[in-house]
Amino acid sequence: MAAASSCSSAWRDDDYRRMVMACLIEAVYLLELERQERRDAAAVAQQWWKPFSYRLAHELVDERDGSVFGAIFERDQQPAVGGGGGDGEAPRAVIAFRGTLLRGPTIRRDVEDELRLLARNSLRGSARLAGALQALRATIERFGSENVCLCGHSLGAGFARQVARMLASSSLPSPRHHHHQQHQATAAAASLEFHLFNAPYLSLPMGVRSVVKTADCLLKAVRTGVAAVGRWHGKALKNVAYANCILGYTRLESSRRL
């Protein structure tokens, strides 16, 4: 497995890149599942990031219940003998988000965000969103947007897409710098790499309006006073790789390839 990850040419293969991102998302799932079992989560989950020369830099934690909903993985930089770069095609940092876990400790928060996404076509109002956006900004500031990858599965894909949109529409409060900062933020979001697995659909057909209405009612029942949804006016995001698949299947196929 380690030998496969050390080959720089592998990173030029789109399937390989998707496989690595799926493994990092799986690691986030395990970080939360092992935390719930009160075990050493990192010791169990590291098998999903170490073979690709990544390390766990930071966990994204919901302060309300301590659950892990995302993580930042940073590339271990190991200079080659005699100079030169290593895997130049590999993202230097990856921010991965897990999907919904229908288990006691997380089901309420996860389902609340699922319903918010279905009913409002947005995750604005989620208590997790501010931390995710802050993590993205800090990572871009450190590595540059062209070296950062966002990935997520199901609800996690929704978070990845949402924070990128919020980044693209963000700007400085000062009117003097507004247009320049708006351009920079939009450019940063456009240069990000994405891998979205089973991404929630943003546009729903006319026939499911009743479903959306029901979801909206359920959301209000779960939690009232959700913040109003803002509209994203940024440019369309580039470098987006969609994968409609079951993550467990991807994991199985990844294991075979390695």
Side-chain angles (χ1 to χ4, degrees):
M1 185 177 289
S5 65
S6 64
C7 181
S8 60
S9 62
W11 284 99
R12 301 187 182 96
D13 186 300
D14 290 339
D15 289 335
Y16 181 83
R17 297 179 81 92
R18 280 192 289 270
M19 180 268 291
V20 175
M21 298 309 141
C23 288
L24 295 181
I25 296 169
E26 180 68 15
V28 180
Y29 274 105
L30 284 174
L31 287 172
E32 173 54 24
L33 289 170
E34 294 301 310
R35 182 196 71 86
Q36 293 182 16
E37 298 296 333
R38 301 184 183 276
R39 293 194 287 256
D40 187 349
V44 176
Q46 65 179 344
Q47 62 180 312
W48 296 100
W49 67 70
K50 288 189 69 175
F52 309 106
S53 299
Y54 282 98
R55 64 180 181 86
L56 177 62
H58 181 67
E59 294 179 349
L60 302 181
V61 177
D62 189 326
E63 296 181 354
R64 298 168 297 176
D65 56 13
S67 61
V68 178
F69 66 92
I72 303 174
F73 300 95
E74 295 180 1
R75 184 80 173 164
D76 285 331
Q77 297 297 322
Q78 300 177 350
V81 177
D87 298 356
E89 298 294 324
R92 294 184 62 189
V94 178
I95 304 178
F97 299 94
R98 66 168 175 83
T100 301
L101 284 174
L102 298 179
R103 300 184 62 164
T106 54
I107 186 172
R108 178 186 173 188
R109 309 300 187 190
D110 288 358
V111 170
E112 179 183 325
D113 282 337
E114 285 276 12
L115 292 173
R116 176 178 284 110
L117 190 59
L118 177 60
R120 310 284 175 85
N121 208 19
S122 170
L123 282 165
R124 287 187 180 272
S126 171
R128 298 167 172 173
L129 201 53
L133 181 59
Q134 182 180 4
L136 175 60
R137 285 173 170 164
T139 305
I140 288 177
E141 183 177 354
R142 183 176 179 186
F143 296 103
S145 59
E146 67 279 3
N147 298 311
V148 176
C149 176
L150 279 172
C151 61
H153 172 243
S154 188
L155 176 62
F159 270 106
R161 190 164 46 192
Q162 185 76 48
V163 293
R165 287 176 168 177
M166 293 178 69
L167 174 70
S169 62
S170 63
S171 61
L172 289 173
S174 172
R176 179 180 177 181
H177 301 285
H178 175 80
H179 295 294
H180 177 66
Q181 182 67 12
Q182 182 74 59
H183 174 74
Q184 285 186 323
T186 303
S191 62
L192 289 168
E193 179 181 347
F194 290 79
H195 291 273
L196 308 179
F197 298 86
N198 285 95
Y201 291 102
L202 287 180
S203 300
L204 296 174
M206 297 287 288
V208 297
R209 283 185 174 179
S210 59
V211 176
V212 175
K213 184 177 180 180
T214 301
D216 191 38
C217 293
L218 288 172
L219 176 60
K220 291 177 181 177
V222 173
R223 188 176 186 87
T224 57
V226 178
V229 178
R231 295 186 62 187
W232 177 52
H233 297 284
K235 295 181 180 179
L237 300 178
K238 301 177 182 178
N239 306 325
V240 181
Y242 290 92
N244 291 314
C245 64
I246 300 174
L247 193 59
Y249 175 78
T250 302
R251 181 177 64 209
L252 176 62
E253 291 301 307
S254 300
S255 300
R256 289 175 180 173
R257 290 188 60 173
L258 295 175

